């Protein structure tokens, strides 16, 4: 930013003459800086009148505004339909980097001490094609870990503990994606019900880390210690080669709808910070009571400044943007991929090489935007999720009921190969963040164990949470001791994990799915801060076997570049860092249009050959069989393929090591009902002749309901 930037240095800047606070408000007619005692957070020791410059920036200076100082602002302004000024309310500085809770709903801002010794720690800079995201909760991942000292369980330090890091490294993921860690509070409705917001999608401030996730010692020492513990967590994860991605919630705030708490934006300039109609009613496209107004330059600038802070001063590697479609809505509330905020995130040199992941929807008109973000963004791919669940679960359930599955293999194959019908050729398969589950919805184990949600514990009479789960309980709802049903469920989980970790794109694994964690059918556990949502570290035999399967799949993904192309193949051409794909039916013949589109064909053989520029040539064969009866396939005869070695079979409870038996092209292979098999295809690289083999037809999936 140039020195002439009128919005430079918002928030507190400490100088040799004390400190200066800068806060933007167009509609305020007075603003006051309030300073509080170092020890008694309720004792105001000084007030300073702030002055407004030509750019609507209010400036307050004080020699006492130094590191360790607690402060707030009070703002007054005219009465209007769109503003809610109250000169008695103590408000949070939008740029505060530390917060102090003063009891009830009271908060003070805090001037943090700059500086942290990062030593030799560096960002891992994991390439996207090698990235495996592990979505987890700071508290939930370590709260029950017996190898961590009790006082560190459920904290930033607990996540960075050597036992947690060892687990993540042995699992084989490359990045942790943390559910919100910006300071947040529970909604008023939940507090009334005696519940809490566990997930954290109710942000209080965009610069301060959530203090309750710090150790008790750090909390007692204050915001400086909390921030230091957070940075220490990032440092240790980086030293272990693990990236840190933050799930950030910029689309709405904890001030809720009108009548909700007045803690910051609402009292500073409600008319500009939130979307409203002319009568002052909020235009809510988030479903959370308010929507931050990204049709205005100042909220846009606020988000960019927040991202710069976390990416540079806290060394964060990437961001997942909650309800990212909201961030791309203009003054008329219409979405555009070229919105100044979305473009600014990509174009800002201070954010270069930072991973940007969009949740590409919100609940407003035109809010479903999967595939409609720009080059440089990756997106949560809900079409991938829905197709994978349907193929292995909902379709199998219908086949049992009606004698045949409703869909064939074509749409599934398109997702497996990188969703080329959703993302442009310029963006390629790494635009897709593939996932089967996320924090929101059934866990992997519950997908295979419940036909319906069981959310009574959330206090909303089971009305909350989606009913469109595409799940299948395999014959009994919930827990069972029926061995046959348990075997079917375990295999279904292996098929879903195999699909996720062997598909083109960026896989995201939800914490606990690697061993089959259950939430007893609750598919919206946002308000459950208990052992229901915390990750257990005591595993049954079945869970240990599933964990071993996940580790094996991640190893296979890492060592076979044909599974992780960064570009789409072009028919008849050789494209660097793409995978040349040949598609065969069960007989070993190339698939035709009828094979792709017929519901009767649910078996394919997918031969993928890499075209890497930095890794050795690699070729794999993946067999997918989506019918419960066994089938015998004829292994494909293809140019350059001399033999096949089995690497993984989802029909086995315990993952196999590589089978040394070499199978000849054209030989018969028995494939168990509803299962997958992965082979390495041996032989020299052969450049395919133009038109030698088809790419998957772009099967169009319906928009998810």
């Amino acid at each position: 930013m140039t020195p002439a930037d009128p919005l430079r240095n918002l928030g507190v800047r400490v100088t040799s003459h004390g400190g200066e606070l800068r806060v933007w408000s167009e509609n305020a007619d007075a603003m006051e800086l309030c300073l509080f005692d170092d020890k008694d957070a309720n004792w105001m020791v000084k007030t300073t009148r702030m002055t407004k410059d030509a750019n609507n920036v209010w400036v307050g200076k004080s020699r006492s505004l130094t590191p360790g100082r607690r402060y707030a602002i009070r703002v007054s302004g005219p009465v209007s339909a769109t503003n809610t000024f109250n000169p008695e309310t103590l408000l949070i500085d939008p740029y505060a980097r530390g917060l102090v809770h003063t009891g009830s709903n009271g908060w003070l801002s805090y001037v943090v001490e700059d500086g942290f010794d990062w030593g030799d720690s560096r960002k891992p800079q994991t390439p996207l094609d090698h990235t495996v995201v592990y979505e987890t909760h700071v508290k939930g991942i370590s709260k029950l870990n017996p190898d961590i000292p009790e006082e560190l369980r459920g904290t930033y330090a607990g996540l960075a503990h050597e036992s947690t890091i060892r687990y993540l490294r042995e699992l084989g993921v490359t990045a942790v994606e943390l559910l919100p860690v910006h300071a947040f509070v529970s909604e008023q409705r939940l507090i009334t019900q005696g519940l809490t917001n566990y997930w954290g999608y109710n942000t209080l401030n965009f610069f301060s880390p959530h203090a309750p996730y710090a150790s008790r010692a750090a909390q007692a020492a204050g915001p400086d210690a909390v921030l230091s513990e957070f940075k220490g967590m990032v440092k240790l994860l980086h030293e272990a080669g693990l990236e840190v991605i933050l799930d950030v919630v910029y689309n709405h705030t904890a001030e809720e709808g009108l009548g909700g708490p007045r803690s910051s934006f609402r009292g500073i300039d409600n008319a500009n910070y939130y979307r409203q109609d002319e009568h002052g009613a909020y235009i809510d496209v988030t479903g959370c009571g308010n929507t931050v107004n990204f049709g205005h330059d100042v909220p846009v600038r606020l988000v960019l400044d927040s991202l710069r802070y976390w990416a540079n001063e806290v060394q964060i590697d990437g961001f997942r943007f909650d309800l990212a479609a909201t961030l791309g809505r203009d003054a008329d509330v219409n979405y555009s991929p070229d919105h100044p905020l979305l473009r600014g995130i990509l174009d800002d040199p201070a954010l270069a090489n930072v991973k940007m992941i969009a949740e590409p929807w919100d609940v407003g008109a035109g809010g479903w935007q999967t595939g409609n973000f720009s080059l440089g963004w990756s997106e949560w791919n809900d079409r991938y999720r829905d197709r994978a669940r349907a193929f292995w679960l909902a379709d199998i359930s219908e086949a049992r009921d009606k004698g045949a599955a409703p869909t064939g293999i074509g749409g599934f194959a398109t997702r497996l190969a990188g969703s080329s019908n959703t993302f442009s050729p310029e963006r390629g398969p790494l635009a897709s963040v593939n996932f089967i589950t996320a924090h929101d919805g059934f866990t992997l184990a519950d997908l295979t164990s419940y036909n319906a949600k069981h959310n009574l514990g959330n206090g909303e009479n089971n009305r909350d949470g989606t009913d469109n789960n595409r799940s299948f309980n395999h014959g009994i709802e919930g827990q069972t001791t029926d061995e046959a049903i348990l075997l079917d469920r375990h295999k279904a989980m292996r098929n879903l994990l195999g699909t996720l970790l062997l598909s083109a794109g960026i896989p995201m694994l939800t914490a606990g799915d690697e061993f089959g964690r259950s939430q007893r059918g609750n598919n919206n556990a946002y308000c459950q801060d208990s052992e229901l949502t915390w990750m257990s570290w005591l595993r049954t035999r079945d869970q240990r076997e599933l964990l071993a399967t996940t580790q094996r799949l991640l190893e296979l993904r890492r060592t076979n570049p044909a599974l992780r192309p960064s570009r789409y193949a072009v028919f008849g051409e050789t494209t660097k860092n793409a995978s040349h794909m040949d598609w065969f039916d069960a007989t070993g013949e190339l698939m035709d249009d009828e094979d792709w589109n017929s519901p009767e064909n649910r078996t394919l053989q997918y031969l993928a050959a890499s075209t890497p520029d930095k890794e050795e040539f690699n070729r794999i064969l993946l067999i997918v069989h989506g019918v419960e009866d066994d089938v015998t396939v004829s292994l494909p005869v293809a140019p350059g393929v001399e033999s096949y070695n089995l690497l993984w079979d989802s029909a086995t409870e315990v993952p196999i090591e590589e089978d040394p038996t070499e199978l000849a092209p054209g030989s018969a292979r028995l494939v168990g009902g509803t299962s997958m098999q992965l082979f390495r295809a041996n032989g020299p690289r052969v450049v395919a002749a133009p038109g030698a083999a088809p790419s998957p037809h772009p099967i169009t999936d319906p928009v998810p309901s």
Side-chain angles (χ1 to χ4, degrees):
M1 295 297 169
T2 65
D5 181 0
L7 297 180
R8 70 188 185 282
N9 296 335
L10 293 177
V12 171
R13 293 295 179 272
V14 177
T15 70
S16 58
H17 304 291
E20 177 183 272
L21 172 66
R22 294 165 56 85
V23 179
W24 185 91
S25 177
E26 179 182 25
N27 290 303
D29 57 24
M31 191 175 296
E32 187 176 41
L33 168 62
C34 306
L35 304 180
F36 290 80
D37 184 68
D38 292 342
K39 297 181 180 179
D40 186 349
N42 294 303
W43 182 15
M44 188 185 302
V45 296
K46 186 177 181 181
T47 62
T48 299
R49 180 175 174 270
M50 299 174 69
T51 58
K52 183 179 182 179
D53 68 15
N55 300 299
N56 298 315
V57 175
W58 295 78
V59 181
K61 300 180 180 180
S62 172
R63 291 186 177 274
S64 300
L65 190 63
T66 55
R69 177 64 63 187
R70 305 169 190 186
Y71 69 101
I73 56 175
R74 293 193 293 208
V75 185
S76 63
V79 175
S80 69
T82 57
N83 269 308
T84 57
F85 291 109
N86 184 332
E88 301 302 316
T89 303
L90 295 172
L91 300 171
I92 296 169
D93 167 17
Y95 281 73
R97 298 184 182 185
L99 296 179
V100 175
H101 193 202
T102 62
S104 183
N105 290 322
W107 297 89
L108 296 178
S109 304
Y110 181 93
V111 183
V112 299
E113 183 75 64
D114 289 334
F116 179 81
D117 182 7
W118 291 98
D120 295 328
S121 173
R122 297 290 183 271
K123 292 185 178 184
Q125 296 287 343
T126 306
L128 275 178
D129 63 312
H130 285 76
T131 296
V132 179
V133 177
Y134 187 76
E135 189 199 39
T136 192
H137 188 284
V138 168
K139 181 176 182 179
I141 190 173
S142 68
K143 182 64 176 175
L144 299 177
N145 188 343
D147 292 333
I148 296 177
E150 190 279 332
E151 66 272 15
L152 299 183
R153 295 175 193 167
T155 69
Y156 299 125
L159 174 57
H161 189 268
E162 60 183 0
S163 67
T164 315
I165 288 176
R166 182 172 59 250
Y167 176 80
L168 294 169
R169 285 177 56 84
E170 290 177 353
L171 178 59
V173 298
T174 70
V176 289
E177 180 177 302
L178 304 180
L179 267 66
V181 295
H182 288 171
F184 67 88
V185 294
S186 294
E187 293 85 344
Q188 299 300 300
R189 174 184 58 80
L190 289 178
I191 294 171
T192 301
Q193 292 177 298
L195 297 171
T196 185
N197 187 322
Y198 173 66
W199 287 349
Y201 292 88
N202 201 44
T203 306
L204 186 66
N205 176 267
F206 295 150
F207 289 81
S208 305
H210 190 58
Y213 289 164
S215 61
R216 288 191 294 271
Q219 291 183 57
D224 286 318
V226 170
L227 180 58
S228 181
E229 184 174 312
F230 190 100
K231 290 179 177 179
M233 172 193 72
V234 175
K235 179 180 178 180
L236 289 172
L237 288 166
H238 282 175
E239 289 174 353
L242 295 165
E243 293 188 311
V244 182
I245 298 171
L246 300 188
D247 193 336
V248 287
V249 187
Y250 293 117
N251 56 81
H252 75 282
T253 76
E255 292 185 303
E256 304 183 33
L258 287 174
R262 183 193 291 109
S263 57
S264 189
F265 296 160
R266 179 170 290 146
I268 295 172
D269 198 324
N270 188 60
N272 285 309
Y273 276 109
Y274 294 120
R275 292 194 182 276
Q276 303 169 67
D277 65 19
E278 60 185 3
H279 305 294
Y282 279 177
I283 300 171
D284 180 13
V285 301
T286 68
C288 300
N290 67 60
T291 301
V292 177
N293 178 19
F294 296 116
H296 192 287
D297 291 344
V298 169
V300 168
R301 173 61 179 268
L302 176 71
V303 170
L304 291 173
D305 285 345
S306 172
L307 293 172
R308 293 184 196 109
Y309 171 70
W310 290 98
N312 294 290
E313 296 192 38
V314 193
Q315 291 291 292
I316 294 303
D317 303 278
F319 301 93
R320 178 268 187 189
F321 294 83
D322 182 64
L323 302 183
T326 299
L327 279 61
R329 290 186 180 270
D330 60 19
D332 296 321
V333 204
N334 295 318
Y335 171 80
S336 169
D338 293 321
H339 185 283
L341 177 52
L342 300 183
R343 288 267 26 119
I345 289 170
L346 295 180
D347 296 342
D348 191 332
L351 299 175
N353 300 315
V354 175
K355 293 178 171 67
M356 301 298 181
I357 301 171
E359 182 186 39
W361 53 78
D362 62 21
V363 301
W368 190 77
Q369 294 293 335
T370 304
N372 292 333
F373 280 68
S374 299
L375 176 66
W377 284 94
S378 297
E379 302 175 36
W380 274 26
N381 189 348
D382 51 331
R383 283 180 159 176
Y384 178 96
R385 173 200 64 198
D386 293 345
R387 178 59 72 176
R389 289 185 182 190
F391 185 82
W392 291 117
L393 298 173
D395 287 1
I396 302 303
S397 175
E398 186 167 337
R400 286 192 185 183
D401 289 342
K402 299 181 180 179
T407 60
I409 199 78
F412 179 86
T414 302
R415 298 298 160 201
L416 190 71
S419 297
S420 60
N421 62 343
T422 300
F423 302 101
S424 67
E426 294 76 19
R427 298 180 67 191
L430 297 179
S432 178
V433 175
N434 299 330
F435 66 108
I436 305 295
T437 71
H439 64 276
D440 184 2
F442 277 146
T443 66
L444 183 68
D446 288 353
L447 274 178
T448 69
S449 304
Y450 295 90
N451 284 350
K453 65 189 181 187
H454 295 264
N455 296 355
L456 285 174
N458 296 352
E460 298 184 50
N461 295 317
N462 212 41
R463 292 190 301 268
D464 64 304
T466 183
D467 293 308
N468 187 21
N469 296 294
R470 295 174 172 84
S471 59
F472 179 33
N473 67 17
H474 293 85
I476 293 177
E477 187 76 353
Q479 294 183 346
T480 182
T481 58
D482 187 303
E483 190 64 26
I485 289 176
L486 290 174
L487 288 173
D488 284 345
R489 289 177 177 178
H490 297 161
K491 185 169 62 172
M493 284 191 280
R494 294 193 297 273
N495 285 330
L496 289 163
L497 284 168
T499 301
L500 175 65
L501 299 177
L502 303 179
S503 290
I506 303 170
M508 184 186 78
L509 183 66
T510 304
D513 278 356
E514 68 269 24
F515 61 85
R517 183 181 73 87
S518 173
Q519 291 177 171
R520 300 198 296 273
N522 190 322
N523 76 348
N524 190 36
Y526 74 104
C527 57
Q528 301 295 327
D529 186 359
S530 68
E531 293 191 19
L532 181 73
T533 51
W534 303 339
M535 195 169 94
S536 173
W537 289 76
L538 300 175
R539 312 278 160 73
T540 66
R541 183 197 66 187
D542 293 337
Q543 289 178 325
R544 291 194 298 271
E545 290 172 349
L546 188 61
L547 175 59
T549 292
T550 308
Q551 291 171 314
R552 175 63 173 155
L553 287 166
L554 284 166
E555 178 190 17
L556 291 169
R557 180 180 187 85
R558 183 171 58 254
T559 55
N560 288 278
L563 293 169
R564 41 183 174 80
S566 58
R567 297 179 180 176
Y568 294 130
V570 177
F571 183 58
E573 299 180 9
T574 298
T575 304
K576 285 290 185 183
N577 299 314
S579 287
H580 177 82
M581 301 170 185
D582 297 334
W583 303 85
F584 302 88
D585 61 19
T587 69
E589 297 296 322
L590 290 172
M591 292 177 66
D592 58 24
D593 287 345
E594 184 176 351
D595 293 325
W596 286 110
N597 298 312
S598 172
E600 296 179 0
N601 179 40
R602 290 176 61 84
T603 305
L604 67 74
Q605 301 188 75
Y606 164 46
L607 187 66
S610 69
T611 57
D613 58 0
K614 295 180 180 179
E615 299 180 80
E616 294 297 320
F617 171 71
N618 170 244
R619 182 163 41 205
I620 59 92
L621 173 70
L622 180 64
I623 301 176
V624 178
H625 178 51
V627 177
E628 291 199 280
D629 295 327
D630 296 350
V631 66
T632 298
V633 305
S634 179
L635 298 179
V637 176
V641 177
E642 297 174 348
S643 64
Y644 298 97
N645 287 94
L646 181 65
L647 302 176
W648 177 69
D649 185 347
S650 73
T652 61
E653 293 272 350
V654 179
I656 64 167
E657 296 297 325
E658 180 177 335
D659 189 336
T661 304
E662 293 196 355
L663 304 175
S667 61
R669 174 74 185 178
L670 181 66
V671 179
T674 53
S675 71
M676 307 172 73
Q677 294 183 4
L678 180 70
F679 298 82
R680 186 180 62 249
N682 306 305
R685 179 176 180 177
V686 175
V687 178
S695 296
H697 292 203
I699 308 297
T700 300
D701 288 331
V703 174
S705 58

